Amino acid sequence: MRITSVLRTARAAALAMTAGLVLLGGAASPAVADSSPSAVSSEDGDAPTQAGTSFRTATEIEQGRKATANGSAGDYMYWSFPADAEQRPTVTATVQLPESTRSASSTWQLDVYDGLRRRQACQYGAQTRTAAQDADLVTLTCVLRTVRAWSEPWANDPLPGTYYVRLTTTELATADLGVPVSAMVRVDSKDMGGAAAVDGSLAEPLVPGIAVTGAENTDSDEDSTAVLSSLEPEDGWSSGWWSSRWVWTAAGGVLAALAGVAGYALTRGSGRPSRVPPPGA
């Protein structure tokens, strides 16, 4: 009888555990859905067709969209994109070289800077490549570290905000300066989830000029529009307030409670005194 009771209790605990996990998964699924800009699809006709020549004139692009530009070998090409906490951006640039024979090979480099214009190291990827004299194109890739919601002031960790992409040549023959080239840049992100969450958040994302946004103009009723980057994630800046760690913490609490109930059911007594053998038995 006791074994049957224990089995029934364990079965009830397992059913309750399954129901709790289903309810947690259903409640959390809308919040942990991919809300990064890379999930937004767009037509190629809406993609930018030019690049900036400095940080201040960088062309804004959204994640998941392709941007193209025509330029000359030896020039700097700049783009900017937003990246939020728990995202790991991947920047890919393809340079189409002219079909005419060039005088020598050329080396191209892709650099990424954050909102404070600090150069961010690539976690992996071919950030610098040399194109042979007869090459038609060269492809560069930079996979950044995961964007953190908060970091120490002395650290160089990537933080939420605007990121800049710079494409240029580092080694080029003098005779090839000014040769027309075309470039294509695309930024995608992978959501790293609660594994990359930290206990902290920024007051504001690192977007140039955001500190003076909305400042009242004493001479008129118009608000200041000093923000140099207008793009942001589709659902706004999360600043790390939500992560899947909340789901797993709640699930761990439910599992701990169910384990306690099951352990109590397995170790409790039957409620009847144990049989005492008669004297002389």
Side-chain angles (χ1 to χ4, degrees):
M1 295 296 292
R2 182 180 178 183
I3 296 178
T4 304
S5 176
V6 169
L7 291 176
R8 289 178 179 176
T9 303
R11 185 181 304 172
L15 292 176
M17 182 186 307
T18 305
L21 291 177
V22 170
L23 290 176
L24 283 173
S29 57
V32 299
D34 186 8
S35 60
S36 63
S38 59
V40 180
S41 61
S42 61
E43 300 295 336
D44 291 341
D46 298 334
T49 57
Q50 62 181 0
T53 58
S54 66
F55 286 100
R56 293 182 61 87
T57 61
T59 299
E60 296 180 344
I61 59 175
E62 294 182 0
Q63 294 189 25
R65 295 182 59 183
K66 177 181 67 177
T68 59
N70 295 323
S72 301
D75 292 343
Y76 287 98
M77 298 183 183
Y78 285 85
W79 295 268
S80 65
F81 66 93
D84 205 359
E86 301 179 16
Q87 290 184 347
R88 189 178 67 185
T90 298
V91 183
T92 303
T94 301
V95 182
Q96 185 72 38
L97 303 172
E99 298 180 358
S100 59
T101 304
R102 298 179 301 278
S103 61
S105 61
S106 58
T107 301
W108 293 80
Q109 182 167 312
L110 179 69
D111 295 314
V112 182
Y113 300 82
D114 64 6
L116 298 178
R117 300 186 184 180
R118 302 177 302 181
R119 185 177 180 273
Q120 293 294 321
C122 298
Q123 191 174 17
Y124 56 87
Q127 184 180 5
T128 302
R129 274 189 171 179
T130 299
Q133 182 177 352
D134 56 349
D136 295 332
L137 56 85
V138 57
T139 300
L140 309 170
T141 304
C142 177
V143 180
L144 296 175
R145 294 172 295 167
T146 303
V147 178
R148 295 166 56 89
W150 178 85
S151 179
E152 295 288 347
W154 47 261
N156 193 35
D157 296 322
L159 296 171
T162 301
Y163 283 78
Y164 297 94
V165 179
R166 186 178 71 180
L167 179 65
T168 188
T169 55
T170 57
E171 293 183 9
L172 185 68
T174 304
D176 294 333
L177 285 173
V179 172
V181 296
S182 60
M184 187 276 290
V185 174
R186 181 183 175 93
V187 180
D188 296 284
S189 284
K190 180 179 180 181
D191 187 2
M192 304 306 293
V198 295
D199 297 328
S201 62
L202 297 180
E204 296 289 350
L206 299 180
V207 177
I210 196 171
V212 295
T213 304
E216 294 184 358
N217 192 330
T218 56
D219 297 333
S220 64
D221 296 335
E222 297 180 358
D223 292 338
S224 175
T225 56
V227 177
L228 302 180
S229 181
S230 60
L231 291 181
E232 63 178 28
E234 181 184 8
D235 296 333
W237 300 101
S238 64
S239 296
W241 73 272
W242 165 263
S243 71
S244 58
R245 290 200 305 176
W246 292 91
V247 179
W248 292 110
T249 300
V254 173
L255 292 176
L258 294 177
V261 173
Y264 173 76
L266 291 173
T267 57
R268 68 176 181 175
S270 61
R272 294 177 298 175
S274 60
R275 297 181 59 186
V276 178

